[in-house]
Amino acid sequence: MTSKPRLIPSHQIDDQVVIPGLRQQLDMLGGTEPTANDEAKGRYFAAEEIDLSSYEAIVVCMSGGKDSIACLLHLIEQGVDMRKVELWHHDVDGREGSTLMDWTFMADYNRQLAHAFEVPLFFSWLKHGFEGEMLKENDYSHPQCVETPDGLLTLERDTRRSKPGTRLRFPQVSASLSTRWCSSSLKIDLGRRALNNQSRFLGTRTLFITGERREESANRARYFQLERHASDTRFGRKARHVDAWRPVLDWDESRVWETLERHGVLAPVPYRLGWSRSSCQSCVFNSDAIWATIAHYFPEKAQRIADYEQQFGTTISRDKLTVLERARRSRPFEIEDLAALEQATRPDYTLPVFAAPGTPWVLPAGAFRSEGCGAS
């Protein structure tokens, strides 16, 4: 008698099938120390300089934070043909109306960046975003949407391999991508499928750039700097050659800020408000001081998170305190940059990208701070 195949809840296809495959190929969860076999497998622990001219397409994953901007500036300084370069931004909240997690201006800030540097920008998102995935109850994950030069791709879910699943809780603070599901569901798998489902990346060499840095965490300190991307099929029938490169992996924070200053790029708004990282505004890695600042200046944002914690009966924090209780344990930042504070309340980005000629470049308040506010 033939047994029926075991169906996996839809979100666990990512957590149990996709992410372990990514972990094996990209060593994204740390893994072991580099070995002599790594280079034979196309993995290089240190590869700060590579032959950029050998690639026909260069994708920069642009979060709108200082490190991804530094990646773009590094390409310019290396003399890359910028006609090969495009920016990809993952819209964490989606395009269906949710504003739960990310900075309200972040999508438009990325548009202004792309316009300022005259490079194309393509957005991608999980339909209904973070909030829709978190509220999934006995259902499948929503389709993924990918902007391309030829129009919008809608990537449906493979329900033949899965059964409906339930989340109804925030991602938990962890280096594990199955526990911290926001990174895997809203960014990593989205980028992989965007590469896999565009024929323009077949039969060509593509460089996929992200802005992690070793000094951010012990986990990231073990990343390889150059390796084959999870979408790579260079030896297969489709011959999709995709290398993943982290050009600023060995940079310290000083070098990042010096690069932005050299090009006159003003610090993005989150750093001007005191954030040390430009992750989601309501990132699950936020410290008590960050939640205190959100509760003080953006109270409706903190309240919505706390309401969900109460609804789920599970807090973001492992100490079982709600974000409002954590906010009361600390003091908010004293924000003096009123222009940045006003911008943080508006979806249209109206501040300049570059410092005005003759105006001194200013290091932001969040520079070199250690307050938690981004994934590790």
Side-chain angles (χ1 to χ4, degrees):
M1 180 176 179
T2 304
S3 61
K4 294 182 179 180
R6 183 174 68 93
L7 295 178
I8 303 174
S10 58
H11 65 269
Q12 292 181 12
I13 287 288
D14 288 342
D15 299 343
Q16 297 180 16
V17 179
V18 174
I19 298 306
L22 289 169
R23 183 162 63 241
Q24 180 179 5
Q25 295 185 53
L26 304 180
D27 199 35
M28 296 196 75
L29 297 185
T32 59
E33 293 300 316
T35 69
N37 292 326
D38 287 322
E39 291 191 10
K41 297 176 182 178
R43 302 194 299 185
Y44 299 85
F45 189 75
E48 187 166 357
E49 295 184 6
I50 64 175
D51 183 7
L52 295 169
S53 66
S54 68
Y55 296 95
E56 286 84 23
I58 300 177
V59 174
V60 178
C61 290
M62 178 55 66
S63 69
K66 68 182 188 305
D67 299 321
S68 54
I69 295 173
C71 290
L72 177 62
L73 300 177
H74 185 62
L75 293 178
I76 294 172
E77 293 185 345
Q78 294 300 304
V80 167
D81 182 351
M82 297 303 289
R83 292 173 297 181
K84 299 180 179 180
V85 177
E86 58 190 70
L87 308 182
W88 287 12
H89 179 76
H90 303 310
D91 257 343
V92 172
D93 283 322
R95 295 286 184 87
E96 291 72 37
S98 176
T99 58
L100 182 68
M101 297 300 291
D102 212 357
W103 299 91
T104 184
F105 59 83
M106 191 55 72
D108 199 47
Y109 175 60
N110 277 272
R111 292 188 190 95
Q112 301 308 319
L113 272 176
H115 178 74
F117 286 99
E118 299 182 330
V119 290
L121 169 67
F122 299 104
F123 287 93
S124 53
W125 64 95
L126 175 65
K127 273 194 173 181
H128 303 284
F130 178 105
E131 192 170 12
E133 178 68 13
M134 182 177 69
L135 294 178
K136 183 173 59 181
E137 183 174 12
N138 193 32
D139 203 354
Y140 298 99
S141 292
H142 292 287
Q144 295 159 314
C145 298
V146 177
E147 290 183 347
T148 79
D150 298 320
L152 183 67
L153 283 177
T154 300
L155 306 175
E156 300 292 342
R157 297 294 182 168
D158 184 0
T159 57
R160 297 170 300 174
R161 300 176 59 201
S162 63
K163 63 180 181 181
T166 298
R167 288 206 187 272
L168 294 181
R169 66 167 56 197
F170 283 95
Q172 298 298 289
V173 175
S174 172
S176 168
L177 294 176
S178 58
T179 303
R180 176 174 41 99
W181 54 259
C182 49
S183 292
S184 58
S185 297
L186 302 169
K187 296 180 180 179
I188 297 170
D189 189 46
L190 192 51
R192 179 187 65 85
R193 294 194 76 194
L195 289 165
N196 285 349
N197 286 276
Q198 294 185 65
S199 59
R200 65 191 179 106
F201 296 116
L202 297 177
T204 188
R205 290 171 57 90
T206 300
L207 187 62
F208 190 82
I209 291 177
T210 53
E212 302 96 333
R213 292 186 301 111
R214 296 194 199 279
E215 75 169 15
E216 291 174 318
S217 70
N219 182 51
R220 293 186 174 187
R222 296 191 293 268
Y223 282 4
F224 288 92
Q225 190 160 26
L226 178 68
E227 55 195 334
R228 294 170 190 164
H229 190 268
S231 64
D232 182 89
T233 57
R234 69 188 66 184
F235 301 120
R237 179 176 54 85
K238 291 188 175 181
R240 183 191 302 109
H241 183 123
V242 185
D243 287 324
W245 189 41
R246 302 178 173 104
V248 302
L249 189 62
D250 286 315
W251 291 23
D252 60 18
E253 186 174 349
S254 293
R255 185 174 175 185
V256 173
W257 289 123
E258 288 166 2
T259 302
L260 267 66
E261 181 180 12
R262 192 160 55 247
H263 289 262
V265 178
L266 292 171
V269 163
Y271 307 104
R272 294 169 61 173
L273 298 178
W275 269 245
S276 63
R277 301 271 297 278
S278 181
S279 188
C280 288
Q281 184 179 21
S282 301
C283 180
V284 298
F285 283 84
N286 283 349
S287 69
D288 291 353
I290 295 290
W291 284 119
T293 304
I294 294 173
H296 182 74
Y297 292 100
F298 314 96
E300 71 291 341
K301 199 97 170 182
Q303 186 63 57
R304 290 181 65 196
I305 300 296
D307 288 345
Y308 272 132
E309 289 181 311
Q310 182 176 16
Q311 177 182 329
F312 300 150
T314 304
T315 61
I316 291 175
S317 172
R318 293 185 183 276
D319 60 12
K320 299 182 180 181
L321 296 176
T322 69
V323 294
L324 294 181
E325 291 171 327
R326 292 177 61 197
R328 288 193 286 270
R329 297 197 305 188
S330 188
R331 298 179 62 182
F333 300 153
E334 293 185 9
I335 298 176
E336 298 179 357
D337 191 333
L338 299 184
L341 184 59
E342 182 183 1
Q343 177 61 77
T345 66
R346 299 199 309 263
D348 295 332
Y349 191 83
T350 58
L351 296 178
V353 172
F354 297 110
T359 302
W361 187 90
V362 178
L363 191 69
F368 305 107
R369 266 187 170 165
S370 59
E371 289 291 344
C373 51
S376 61

